């Protein structure tokens, strides 16, 4: 009896430490929206970057995220001092801290140098996210009950979205009183704190699956590549990833163009832009809690299809917004921007939660890090392509920082492209009940 109580106490302590690591990791990464809000205004107002250049830089900054499969393989197959997760989190936090410190303290920084440091920062962030996602996937595998499935994913998303809401709220206020460089410095200090916190926690206390110690690094990597290939060849996983990637790739996102329209044409204050992102993160937090309680047992195909349709509706609503329809019926531009722009960004992020839970259920044991990293890499590549398509669409339609007359037509095209993935939602495959029982 005492032995059982001791085992239960150790399991509870390990669970608490896992939640601490996951909470801190996702909170700090969610708070990245704080300095990135400052980056947008720093580029537009401080460096005079055009709308197309801003959107190209926003999309290109995600290039390090494409390396996630390689990082996932390294994390799975190459332990650092016998550990596969926390050392990588610490390395990623350190790289980010160095990057933001350099951006904050570099005098008269040029656009190429700024781009290099932003790429290095996102490379560090991708390392952190790969390791954090793997911890969530591995810990989630230890939950055997269907009621507990997806709880850690929802827990992580709630921490990330709450940090994003706080970061955008503070960012919108901070831009009214401080320069963006102060925001960069503050976030760098948070990353230094995360680094020392991560180093202080022994990974063995998390009770995660241990790496095989009798394999060389090269052999282990080959083994992980083979397991990843086998996992991706599973029809349910392969076709689900194809649909999820296409659901972003085919949309020519106009985020940079809309940012310039809101700030240059409508003259909305930075606090309004910050509040719109806060609203989106609060909505994301509420949806994460609702998903964990009500929707996690629903079909992933149904949930993702409904979200895709809702995103298209908001894009159609934006057409009425830029034509001034809402302003004529008494809805201020600031209120619409806060609510609907926030909902749009929140929905785009929220799609990842049900899909990550879906993939985690399909993922074979032992390659959680590499599979989740591959999925996030595909998402990053899809958002980069969609960002470039948005720039091409705006240029083709003649939308620029001085002329937004064709913006409604661009938004209609964007909404039509968003509806396309609904025509092939059958690609989202569910594992058959018989296969689940056999496994």
């Amino acid at each position: 009896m005492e032995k059982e109580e001791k085992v239960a106490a150790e399991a509870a302590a390990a669970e608490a430490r896992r939640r601490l690591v996951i909470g801190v990791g996702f909170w700090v990464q969610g708070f990245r929206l704080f300095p990135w809000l400052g980056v947008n205004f720093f580029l537009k107002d401080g460096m005079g970057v055009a709308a197309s250049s801003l959107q190209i830089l926003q999309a290109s900054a995600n290039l390090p995220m494409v390396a996630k499969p390689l990082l996932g393989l390294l994390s799975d197959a190459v332990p650092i001092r016998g550990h596969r997760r926390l050392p990588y989190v610490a390395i990623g936090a350190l790289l980010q801290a160095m990057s933001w410190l350099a951006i904050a303290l570099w005098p008269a920084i040029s656009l190429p140098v700024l781009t290099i440091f932003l790429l290095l920062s996102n490379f560090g962030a991708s390392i952190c996210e790969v390791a954090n996602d793997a911890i969530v996937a591995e810990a989630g595998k230890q939950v055997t009950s269907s009621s507990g499935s997806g709880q850690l994913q929802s827990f992580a998303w709630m921490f990330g979205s709450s940090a994003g809401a706080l970061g955008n709220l503070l960012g919108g206020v901070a831009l009214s009183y401080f320069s963006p460089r102060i925001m960069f410095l503050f976030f760098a200090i948070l990353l230094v704190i995360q680094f020392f916190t991560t180093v202080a926690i022994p990974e063995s206390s998390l009770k995660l699956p241990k790496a095989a110690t009798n394999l060389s690094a090269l052999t282990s990597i080959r083994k992980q590549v083979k397991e990843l290939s086998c996992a991706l060849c599973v029809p349910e996983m392969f076709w689900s990833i194809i649909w999820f990637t296409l659901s972003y790739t085919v949309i020519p996102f106009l985020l940079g163009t809309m940012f310039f329209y809101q700030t240059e044409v409508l003259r909305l204050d930075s606090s309004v832009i910050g509040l719109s992102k806060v609203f989106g993160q609060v909505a994301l937090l509420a949806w994460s809690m609702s998903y964990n309680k009500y929707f996690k047992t629903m079909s992933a195909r149904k949930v993702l299809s409904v979200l895709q349709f809702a995103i298209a509706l908001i894009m159609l609503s934006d057409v009425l917004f830029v034509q001034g329809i809402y302003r004529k019926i008494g809805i201020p531009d600031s209120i619409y921007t806060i609510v609907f722009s926030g909902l749009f960004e929140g929905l785009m992020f929220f799609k990842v939660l049900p899909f990550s839970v879906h993939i985690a259920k399909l993922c074979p044991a032992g390659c959680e890090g590499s599979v989740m990293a591959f999925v996030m890499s595909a998402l990053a590549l899809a958002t980069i392509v969609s960002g470039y398509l948005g720039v091409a669409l705006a240029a083709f339609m003649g939308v620029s920082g001085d002329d937004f007359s064709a913006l409604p037509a661009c938004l209609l095209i964007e909404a039509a492209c968003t509806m396309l993935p609904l025509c092939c939602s059958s690609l989202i495959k569910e594992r058959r009940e018989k296969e689940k029982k056999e496994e």
Side-chain angles (χ1 to χ4, degrees):
M1 194 68 179
E2 292 181 359
K3 185 178 180 180
E4 293 178 355
E5 291 178 353
K6 184 179 179 181
V7 171
E10 290 178 353
E15 175 68 14
R17 282 188 287 268
R18 284 198 297 263
R19 286 183 175 261
L20 173 63
V21 169
I22 292 170
V24 170
F26 277 81
W27 194 93
V28 173
Q29 294 309 305
F31 201 74
R32 288 172 60 222
L33 296 177
F34 175 78
W36 272 98
L37 182 61
V39 167
N40 289 338
F41 283 93
F42 183 68
L43 289 169
K44 183 178 76 75
D45 299 328
M47 305 187 74
V49 174
S52 58
S53 300
L54 173 64
Q55 184 156 326
I56 290 175
L57 193 147
Q58 286 176 332
S60 301
N62 288 322
L63 283 172
M65 300 296 180
V66 181
K68 280 187 172 184
L70 175 59
L71 297 174
L73 288 172
L74 289 174
S75 178
D76 282 338
V78 185
I80 299 176
R81 294 187 177 182
H83 301 305
R84 302 186 300 166
R85 306 307 180 202
L86 292 189
Y88 286 95
V89 175
I91 291 172
L94 185 60
L95 287 176
Q96 291 180 83
M98 293 168 55
S99 303
W100 289 110
L101 278 173
I103 296 173
L105 302 178
W106 192 294
I109 190 169
S110 63
L111 185 60
V113 174
L114 175 65
T115 303
I116 291 173
F117 283 125
L118 290 176
L119 288 170
L120 181 61
S121 171
N122 275 355
F123 179 67
S126 66
I127 296 175
C128 286
E129 289 176 4
V130 164
N132 285 327
D133 287 340
I135 292 173
V136 171
E138 287 180 331
K141 284 286 186 181
Q142 299 175 2
V143 179
T144 56
S145 64
S146 59
S147 61
S149 177
Q151 281 191 357
L152 276 179
Q153 286 92 340
S154 296
F155 172 81
W157 273 80
M158 284 187 283
F159 262 77
S161 57
S162 62
L166 180 63
N168 282 314
L169 178 61
L170 294 179
V173 175
L175 284 169
S176 301
Y177 297 95
F178 306 105
S179 70
R181 289 179 183 267
I182 300 297
M183 299 169 64
F184 306 153
L185 182 61
F186 178 77
F187 185 63
I189 294 172
L190 285 181
L191 289 165
V192 171
I193 294 173
Q194 183 194 17
F195 170 77
F196 285 110
T197 301
T198 305
V199 170
I201 299 175
E203 185 172 319
S204 57
S205 66
L206 304 182
K207 305 296 182 183
L208 297 174
K210 295 182 180 179
T213 56
N214 58 340
L215 298 177
S216 65
L218 184 58
T219 303
S220 185
I221 289 177
R222 286 176 178 172
K223 177 176 176 289
Q224 289 298 138
V225 170
K226 184 177 180 180
E227 290 181 353
L228 174 61
S229 300
C230 292
L232 294 178
C233 287
V234 175
E236 294 89 353
M237 184 173 294
F238 176 78
W239 290 113
S240 295
I241 293 175
I242 290 294
W243 184 90
F244 187 68
T245 305
L246 287 177
S247 71
Y248 285 89
T249 306
V250 299
I251 306 173
F253 283 130
L254 299 166
L255 296 179
T257 303
M258 285 298 291
F259 175 75
F260 262 74
Y261 177 78
Q262 291 164 351
T263 55
E264 293 297 311
V265 177
L266 302 182
R267 299 293 179 182
L268 297 179
D269 190 71
S270 60
S271 59
V272 174
I273 305 299
L275 283 174
S276 73
K277 297 180 181 296
V278 170
F279 189 88
Q281 293 297 318
V282 171
L284 181 60
L285 175 60
W287 288 330
S288 300
M289 297 171 65
S290 300
Y291 176 78
N292 184 50
K293 191 172 182 180
Y294 302 109
F295 304 116
K296 67 183 179 184
T297 57
M298 289 179 60
S299 164
R301 179 189 303 173
K302 184 181 296 184
V303 174
L304 291 168
S305 298
V306 170
L307 289 174
Q308 191 76 14
F309 183 72
I311 292 169
L313 286 182
I314 292 179
M315 290 177 178
L316 290 174
S317 179
D318 282 345
V319 177
L320 303 179
F321 168 63
V322 297
Q323 290 180 327
I325 303 298
Y326 291 111
R327 192 183 312 123
K328 292 176 181 178
I329 62 176
I331 301 177
D333 294 331
S334 58
I335 298 298
Y336 180 90
T337 299
I338 290 172
V339 176
F340 285 89
S341 295
L343 282 176
F344 173 75
E345 292 195 23
L347 282 171
M348 294 303 298
F349 280 111
F350 182 68
K351 272 177 60 179
V352 182
L353 174 57
F355 188 78
S356 64
V357 173
H358 175 62
I359 290 297
K361 292 177 182 177
L362 301 176
C363 183
C367 59
E368 293 88 355
S370 52
V371 169
M372 296 305 295
F374 181 85
V375 171
M376 293 300 104
S377 171
L379 173 61
L381 185 60
T383 55
I384 290 171
V385 173
S386 65
Y388 290 161
L389 288 177
V391 173
L393 174 62
F396 178 77
M397 299 296 290
V399 176
S400 65
D402 302 320
D403 184 8
F404 292 91
S405 58
L407 184 55
C410 289
L411 291 170
L412 279 174
I413 296 173
E414 185 184 29
C417 292
T418 306
M419 298 291 286
L420 291 177
L422 294 176
C423 301
C424 54
S425 60
S426 59
L427 293 178
I428 306 173
K429 304 292 184 179
E430 302 282 350
R431 178 166 291 182
R432 294 172 185 152
E433 200 64 31
K434 180 180 178 181
E435 294 176 353
K436 291 180 184 178
K437 291 179 180 180
E438 289 177 354
E439 184 176 320

